[in-house]
Amino acid sequence: MRGEDRVRIADHVWEPGDRLPSCAQIGQECGVGENVVRRAQELLISHGVLEGRAGSGTYVAEPRQRVRVVRSSTREQPAESPFRTDMRAVGRQGDWESRTDAKVPAPADIAARLGISEGEPCVRTTYEYLADGKPVQLSTSWEPYDLTAGTLVVLPEGGPHAGIGVVNRMAAIGVTISHAVEQPEPRTATAEEASLLGIQKAGLVTHIRRTYYSDQGRPVETADIVVPVAHCEIVYEIPINR
């Protein structure tokens, strides 16, 4: 199906980066049902020929180099996103798409990580991070609602402090974050993660469970970060205080 990085379907040829028509349109032209087209696209995505982009469609995949993702305490810069800082350091344009839901009941595992009771309301934000427009990382963030309720930072991606990172947002309401704990583990991607990241089904990812703590010892945010091994390499930078 792949020759010189192009994709041919019926009489059409698409180049890398081109957006494919809808499943309905392709099915009509090829005389097959939408489900057949959808399964074919899923197979091509699993082989890296196509890539799915949430809310945008299916595209012909372009050859990609792995992006270096640095995990470091020096990532936090005043009034700027740590992700954008990371991407700029490797010559990439960093951006993201997000969705926030307020007052979501905390599942048992999230409640344990935040030191709250199961079912307590949280602010949940899901992210799809992009490097030069390509998905390189997913994240689901949880914050205790009672911590930020009634403040200008209750919505991580809304208001005057939108998009500047957890450390800077919390500082805006007088909460000082002293440290973070990260637990990275390898696993395979779920079907949804593979589709969003444009990787093979069950492709390898690094799942990072990160929790930020205030200087009072309270967990103020926890997140599940998913990084595809095929697209990214993770580097930990460890500062040494003398």
Side-chain angles (χ1 to χ4, degrees), residues 161-188:
H161 303 290
I164 61 174
V166 178
V167 173
N168 294 317
R169 283 180 48 249
M170 292 299 167
I173 59 172
V175 176
T176 301
I177 293 180
S178 62
H179 67 286
V181 174
E182 294 195 348
Q183 178 184 351
E185 293 181 352
R187 64 168 174 82
T188 56

Side-chain angles (χ1 to χ4, degrees), residues 28 30 57 85 99 126 135 169 173 175 216 229:
Q28 185 176 12
C30 297
T85 301
R99 173 182 172 177
T126 56
R169 283 180 48 249
I173 59 172
V175 176
Q216 303 299 313
V229 172

Side-chain angles (χ1 to χ4, degrees), residues 25-239:
Q25 183 176 340
I26 294 176
Q28 185 176 12
E29 292 182 7
C30 297
V32 298
E34 288 185 44
N35 288 338
V36 174
V37 177
R38 191 170 292 107
R39 287 196 295 271
Q41 288 187 352
E42 290 174 353
L43 178 62
L44 292 173
I45 289 174
S46 74
H47 287 286
V49 179
L50 302 178
E51 62 180 22
R53 302 180 192 173
S56 179
T58 303
Y59 293 75
V60 180
E62 298 183 14
R64 298 177 61 173
Q65 294 182 336
R66 294 177 81 200
V67 176
R68 170 166 287 202
V69 177
V70 179
R71 313 296 299 175
S72 170
S73 60
T74 62
R75 297 166 68 244
E76 305 290 348
Q77 301 294 326
E80 185 166 20
S81 157
F83 180 75
R84 282 205 176 107
T85 301
D86 284 350
M87 292 302 99
R88 188 181 302 112
V90 294
R92 303 293 184 102
Q93 176 66 42
D95 205 351
W96 61 86
E97 298 175 359
S98 66
R99 173 182 172 177
T100 296
D101 297 292
K103 297 185 179 181
V104 178
D109 61 327
I110 296 299
R113 285 155 59 175
L114 289 174
I116 60 178
S117 299
E118 181 179 356
E120 284 195 35
C122 289
V123 177
R124 180 185 63 194
T125 306
T126 56
Y127 293 91
E128 181 179 1
Y129 289 96
L130 311 171
D132 293 339
K134 304 293 185 181
V136 293
Q137 181 176 298
L138 304 175
S139 178
T140 302
S141 166
W142 298 79
E143 297 175 358
Y145 180 71
D146 68 351
L147 179 64
T148 58
T151 73
L152 293 175
V153 302
V154 65
L155 300 178
E157 299 301 321
H161 303 290
I164 61 174
V166 178
V167 173
N168 294 317
R169 283 180 48 249
M170 292 299 167
I173 59 172
V175 176
T176 301
I177 293 180
S178 62
H179 67 286
V181 174
E182 294 195 348
Q183 178 184 351
E185 293 181 352
R187 64 168 174 82
T188 56
T190 66
E192 181 181 9
E193 290 168 347
S195 177
L196 289 172
L197 292 168
I199 61 176
Q200 296 183 15
K201 278 189 176 179
L204 289 177
V205 298
T206 301
H207 179 180
I208 303 173
R209 293 177 178 86
R210 181 202 66 205
T211 303
Y212 279 115
Y213 293 84
S214 74
D215 56 359
Q216 303 299 313
R218 176 182 180 177
V220 299
E221 187 263 6
T222 194
D224 290 286
I225 302 166
V226 178
V227 182
V229 172
H231 295 168
C232 301
E233 60 179 12
I234 300 175
V235 177
Y236 276 86
E237 181 180 277
I238 303 173

